[in-house]
Amino acid sequence: MAKKETKNFILRVDAETMNAIEAWAADEFRSTNGQLQWIITEALRKAKRLPKHNSI
């Protein structure tokens, strides 16, 4: 399987939100970055904004 290209960006999040994301990530045995990627992917999927071939 080919490795996907990734892009980096800075995200500013208030401390309370970040604490909630970190706790959620820990509950699901993910890194904070992995959790954020999952949240974004799920939101895009629900909004039908992902290409059909992208089945993360």
Side-chain angles (χ1 to χ4, degrees), residues 4-56:
K4 289 185 178 186
E5 178 185 344
T6 61
K7 293 185 178 185
N8 299 325
F9 69 97
I10 296 173
L11 176 64
R12 290 185 179 94
V13 179
D14 64 82
E16 186 176 335
T17 300
M18 193 63 186
N19 290 338
I21 292 168
E22 289 170 339
W24 189 7
D27 289 346
E28 298 196 7
F29 305 103
R30 289 189 180 109
S31 66
T32 302
N33 188 66
Q35 189 70 17
L36 287 166
Q37 288 177 322
W38 181 83
I39 291 167
I40 293 166
T41 300
E42 284 301 301
L44 289 169
R45 185 180 322 208
K46 287 178 183 178
K48 298 183 178 170
R49 297 288 186 162
L50 286 177
K52 294 205 188 281
H53 67 276
N54 191 348
S55 57
I56 297 174

